[in-house]
Amino acid sequence: AAGVIQSPRHLIKEKRETATLKCYPIPRHDTVYWYQQGPGQDPQFLISFYEKMQSDKGSIPDRFSAQQFSDYHSELNMSSLELGDSALYFCASSFSGTLNTGELFFGEGSRLTVL
Amino acid sequence: KQEVTQIPAALSVPEGENLVLNCSFTDSAIYNLQWFRQDPGKGLTSLLLIQSSQREQTSGRLNASLDKSSGRSTLYIAASQPGDSATYLCAAMDSSYKLIFGSGTRLLVRP
C-alpha cells in the first residue's frame, strides 16, 4: 500500500541558507500535517492543511512557510536557517471523509542538519 | 492546553516479561489516542489507535486501554522480545485533529 512520501530524506545546509521539504500524502488523503522533532524531543506540531487551505498552526517560526498544492502534496519552506532548526521533520496525512478515524499516517521524515 | 505525560521515561526488562507503559493527558476532550513506536533516527510507526468512545484496542501482543475520565492510557506489551526495544510515544488528538505527543518511554528488552 502507498505510504506518505517525504523528500529529501536527508538534507545538510549552512546557517542562513534556505531549505524546502516535500511531502506526498497517501492517495485520497486531503489533509497534511507537519511536525518537527528535535534531538531527544517529542514531535511538535508545526502546521496543517486541509483541501489546500491552512487549517491549523502550531509553533512554526515566522521564517518557515508551507503550502498544499492542487495535487495535495505539501512543501515546507525554511529560510534563514539556524542551528536550532536541525531536526527530523515529519509529514503526516489523513482522510477527512465520512470514514475518518482521525488516524494520521506518518512519513519516514526528512532529517535536516544545519551547520 | 493539552499536555501529555509518559511514565516511565525509560524501562529495561529481561526478555519474556510483560510490561505496561503509562500515558496521561490533562484534557479529556480528545478525539482519539494513538500509540506509536519509533526506532532511533527513524520514523513513527502507528501501533494502536483508540477512539474516544472506545475502551481498548488489541493488536497481537499489544493491548492499549483508554480511560478518558481519569485522563489515562496504558500500553500493555505481552511476552516482550528484544525486537520490541524502541521508544514508544503516545499522542492525544484534540478536536482540531492535532496530535499532542508525550515525551516517550525508551524501552530496552534484554536478551
Side-chain angles (χ1 to χ4, degrees), chain A residues 3-4 6 9 26 37 43 88 90-92 103-109, chain B residues 6 21 33-49 59 62 64 75 77 83-91 99 101 105:
Chain A
V4 177
Q6 292 189 244
R9 294 293 310 279
I26 291 172
Q37 186 178 30
L88 194 54
F90 288 109
C91 172
E103 184 171 10
L104 265 58
F105 296 82
F106 282 81
E108 287 291 308
Chain B
Q6 290 187 247
L21 307 182
L33 188 130
Q34 300 180 37
W35 283 92
F36 295 88
R37 168 184 173 141
Q38 186 174 32
D39 292 287
K42 301 295 185 182
L44 300 172
T45 301
S46 178
L47 298 174
L48 289 165
L49 181 152
S59 176
L62 304 180
L75 179 65
I77 302 177
D84 295 330
S85 298
T87 295
Y88 291 81
L89 294 157
C90 77
L99 280 177
F101 284 85
T105 294

Side-chain angles (χ1 to χ4, degrees), chain A residues 7 12 21 30 59 82 97 106 112:
Chain A
S7 68
I12 299 175
L21 306 180
D30 50 16
S59 50
E82 302 174 356
F106 282 81
L112 171 66

Side-chain angles (χ1 to χ4, degrees), chain B residues 21-76:
Chain B
L21 307 182
N22 296 293
C23 172
S24 61
F25 45 95
T26 54
D27 187 350
S28 61
I30 61 172
Y31 190 79
N32 64 40
L33 188 130
Q34 300 180 37
W35 283 92
F36 295 88
R37 168 184 173 141
Q38 186 174 32
D39 292 287
K42 301 295 185 182
L44 300 172
T45 301
S46 178
L47 298 174
L48 289 165
L49 181 152
I50 311 176
Q51 298 291 353
S52 61
S53 59
Q54 296 175 325
R55 297 282 293 183
E56 67 176 345
Q57 281 288 333
T58 298
S59 176
R61 294 182 293 107
L62 304 180
N63 175 277
S65 68
L66 175 64
D67 184 343
K68 279 181 56 178
S69 60
S70 66
R72 293 180 183 177
S73 176
T74 60
L75 179 65
Y76 176 83

Side-chain angles (χ1 to χ4, degrees), chain A residues 35-102:
Chain A
Y35 285 82
Q36 177 193 56
Q37 186 178 30
Q41 305 291 316
D42 51 285
Q44 296 290 319
F45 172 74
L46 292 178
I47 195 166
S48 62
F49 292 88
Y50 166 66
E51 284 291 345
K52 293 150 278 185
M53 298 289 289
Q54 181 182 309
S55 55
D56 204 350
K57 194 172 182 180
S59 50
I60 183 169
D62 292 340
R63 299 176 290 107
F64 292 11
S65 65
Q67 58 182 321
Q68 187 179 30
F69 294 86
S70 58
D71 64 351
Y72 294 102
H73 94 273
S74 178
E75 295 183 6
L76 177 65
N77 299 293
M78 300 173 284
S79 62
S80 303
L81 288 170
E82 302 174 356
L83 296 178
D85 296 328
S86 295
L88 194 54
Y89 290 83
F90 288 109
C91 172
S93 73
S94 68
F95 174 64
S96 67
T98 55
L99 299 180
N100 179 27
T101 62

